[in-house]
Amino acid sequence: MIEPVHRKEGPGTVSTARVRCDSCDRNEVVHCTYQRAMGGAFVPREGQANKRIAGQGWTVAGGKHQCPACRNKQKRSIKPKEQAVKKVEKKDAVQELRQPSMEQKRQIVDMLRDVYDLDRGRYVSGETDATVAEVLGGGVMPGWVSAIREEFFGADGGNDDMAETAAEIAAKLGQIDATLAEAEAARKAVTDVKAALSGQKADLQAMAAKIDAIRKAVGPRAARVG
């Protein structure tokens, strides 16, 4: 609670109010101005007092004030209760895990006989554990279908569509690898040609340099002979 202490009445004075803890009666004096209330009396501005006391670590909620010591004490007492509640919730969650009924198991087995190819060890067409559960409905879960399928039919949850798609992907990857190999061979051929041409160019440049050198050497001699 907030109690008036001193209202400024002259120069050099400061208005103050006392904030008292509603749990242990501890109190602190803070600076705050006053305002006239109904009936003409001056009372502390609670907003200012609350702001200042909150800055000192107090809790202000619902018109109640709690000092830091009482707040920490309350936290310590609440924490074990929260942990106990969480343990109960976790236990309840484990107990709520549903299992298929005998009728649901029979329904799953009957449908798996129609949509699972035992010889190839996979679903036909685009069927999956999820589609079986969806068709059966009635709360049947894909996990139930998966467990029964692995136990009595096969470990592979794939299907024909997946196998065909995987084969198409493998074929296209093979084509890409072949094209990359051809490109690499072509690149190597170009590199070899460039190396050969560079060598021939260097030889021709060397021959041209020799001719220039001979021309320069012969030129002055010819002039002297003439």
Side-chain angles (χ1 to χ4, degrees):
M1 67 177 65
I2 299 176
E3 302 171 346
V5 175
H6 174 74
R7 184 173 69 88
K8 177 181 177 180
E9 296 181 352
T13 60
V14 177
S15 298
T16 57
R18 177 177 285 103
V19 181
R20 193 178 300 276
C21 177
D22 291 287
S23 298
C24 70
D25 206 35
R26 172 183 171 181
N27 64 87
E28 297 285 349
V29 175
V30 297
H31 296 168
C32 73
T33 59
Y34 280 62
Q35 62 184 357
R36 190 184 296 276
M38 294 181 62
F42 285 93
V43 296
R45 295 184 182 271
E46 292 188 1
Q48 291 184 8
N50 287 337
K51 184 176 180 180
R52 292 186 181 278
I53 200 66
Q56 298 181 26
W58 285 52
T59 300
V60 181
K64 299 292 184 179
H65 300 80
Q66 193 174 50
C67 69
C70 290
R71 182 189 61 187
N72 293 334
K73 182 179 179 180
Q74 184 179 22
K75 284 184 177 180
R76 288 193 297 269
S77 64
I78 290 175
K79 189 173 181 180
K81 294 180 181 178
E82 291 178 344
Q83 291 176 342
V85 171
K86 288 181 180 178
K87 289 182 179 178
V88 172
E89 290 176 348
K90 185 176 181 180
K91 183 178 179 181
D92 292 342
V94 172
Q95 293 177 344
E96 289 176 358
L97 291 177
R98 294 189 298 117
Q99 297 297 327
S101 65
M102 292 299 296
E103 177 60 26
Q104 288 173 324
K105 289 180 180 179
R106 282 193 291 268
Q107 291 176 354
I108 293 171
V109 170
D110 289 342
M111 186 165 180
L112 284 173
R113 288 196 181 103
D114 295 333
V115 299
Y116 198 87
D117 190 328
L118 290 173
D119 294 333
R120 290 183 294 173
R122 64 172 182 253
Y123 280 105
V124 299
S125 302
E127 300 295 343
T128 63
D129 295 338
T131 61
V132 171
E134 183 179 358
V135 170
L136 291 176
V140 173
M141 303 177 68
W144 299 348
V145 179
S146 177
I148 293 175
R149 187 247 314 143
E150 289 183 1
E151 183 175 0
F152 299 104
F153 290 84
D156 188 359
N159 55 43
D160 290 343
D161 290 351
M162 294 168 62
E164 291 174 3
T165 302
E168 291 177 2
I169 292 173
K172 290 180 179 179
L173 287 174
Q175 293 174 359
I176 291 173
D177 288 339
T179 302
L180 288 173
E182 292 174 358
E184 176 61 20
R187 185 197 66 78
K188 186 176 183 304
V190 170
T191 301
D192 293 342
V193 170
K194 288 176 65 176
L197 292 175
S198 296
Q200 294 177 19
K201 181 179 178 181
D203 292 341
L204 292 172
Q205 288 175 335
M207 292 173 62
K210 288 180 179 179
I211 293 173
D212 287 341
I214 293 171
R215 182 182 296 111
K216 291 178 180 179
V218 172
R221 293 180 183 177
R224 288 196 297 271
V225 172

